[in-house]
Amino acid sequence: MAPYNILVVDDSVFMRKIISDLISENPQYQIIGTAKNGQEAIEQVKLLRPDAVTMDIEMPVMNGLDALQRIMAEHPTPIIMLSSLTEEGASETIKALEWGAVDFIRKPSGSISLDLYKVKQLLHEKLHMAVRTKMRSFQPVQQKPLLSRLNTTPTPPIIEKSKASVLKPPDVKAGAAEGSTHFNHLVAIGTSTGGPRALHQVISNIPAGFPAPILIVQHMPPNFTKSLAQRLNDISQIKVVEAAEGDVLQTATAYVAPGGWHMIAYKDSNKTYKIRLTKEDPRSGHRPSVDVMFESLLGMSELKRHIVLMTGMGSDGAKGMLSLKQSGVATTIAESEETCVVYGMPRAAVEMQAAMHVLPQQDIAVRLAQCVLN
């Protein structure tokens, strides 16, 4: 089989050499070209039609974010962003993932061989996923107010596991007071590759005063989950925070598990629902783990629990969703293949028959509103 063609984009000659050498150590990939700024990257993508691109963010002439948007609009191509560890770098990376990049890696320091080895392993792993990603014409995330969407008939889902019917708008009722610790519903969402864009789509369309807390596990390193929470908070009608130890769960609030920590929900002696963060071993290579979060909800049968699994590689969350379905939760939703960047985690849930509903990304917030507001 012919090797996949990779384009490397970075303004540093040194970094272009490092990244090219690391990629070339795997015979599955060959460097088809390099570019030193975003404008060159656009031209090279058009000319060479690479199978995947690695893209720096900070570059002269045209930065990586602007180039990403042009490429996704004109010649959709799997792009892996190279990000710095700074807070600004993390924030820009979240935007890149929303705008169509399939994934990111942290830039190597170039000074420590172990660091370079880890970067090489990650590069090969993410390229393996990227070159197999089916790119679609890039469409901006829908940010139409949900309440107006609830008063129209949404697009039918690709698959409807519980009923072969079109989603119908619920009767919109006044939600619980924002910030209330008293609630009867709880939503939990797990996602990985492609998750920041999927979360943007779903969380930005949850209405203000949503009468349930929302727990979110997104596979992502430390620092980046903080930027993800801040970005989601900026674009949403509900409050979004990076979870902290002992946080009291409140309605109209979403809690993003911090990178490097498992997040579980529990009920204390005063019957108050709280968050606990743990450094237990990674589950299936992940910390935070979706399965760990889902399993913590098994004993909360007094709540109507609504469980969502969206785009991501692997199967994290599928077993937990199945256990929750068997325990009698109200709703389980898997994102349909149509809108997934990587149809891995939702596929596993569907194959295990853990999903009651299989919905495209743009219909998930609508379904959650129906379930919680009705």
Side-chain angles (χ1 to χ4, degrees), residues 20 30 80 113 181 215 223 231 238 264 281 287 306 312 357 365:
S20 296
Q30 66 181 10
I80 298 171
S113 58
T181 58
L215 303 178
N223 300 333
R231 174 64 176 163
I238 64 170
I264 65 174
D281 291 342
R287 189 173 62 201
H306 310 279
H357 313 284

Side-chain angles (χ1 to χ4, degrees), residues 122 129 147 160 224 228 326:
L122 278 173
M129 173 274 299
L147 290 181
E160 178 54 82
F224 292 90
L228 173 63
Q326 293 171 340

Side-chain angles (χ1 to χ4, degrees), residues 4-65:
Y4 293 101
N5 295 318
I6 311 300
L7 174 68
V8 174
V9 184
D10 200 295
D11 63 317
S12 163
V13 175
F14 175 67
M15 196 57 69
R16 290 200 300 274
K17 170 69 172 169
I18 286 180
I19 297 299
S20 296
D21 287 350
L22 292 177
I23 292 172
S24 298
E25 287 188 33
N26 189 321
Q28 293 184 62
Y29 311 113
Q30 66 181 10
I31 305 303
I32 195 176
T34 62
K36 63 179 179 291
N37 59 57
Q39 186 58 52
E40 285 189 8
I42 294 169
E43 295 166 358
Q44 291 284 66
V45 166
K46 183 177 180 180
L47 177 66
L48 302 175
R49 298 299 176 95
D51 296 303
V53 178
T54 67
M55 178 85 73
D56 189 21
I57 294 179
E58 292 296 330
M59 295 181 290
V61 183
M62 179 184 287
N63 65 41
L65 292 179

Side-chain angles (χ1 to χ4, degrees), residues 164-177:
S165 62
V166 179
L167 294 181
K168 295 181 180 179
D171 296 325
V172 180
K173 300 178 182 178

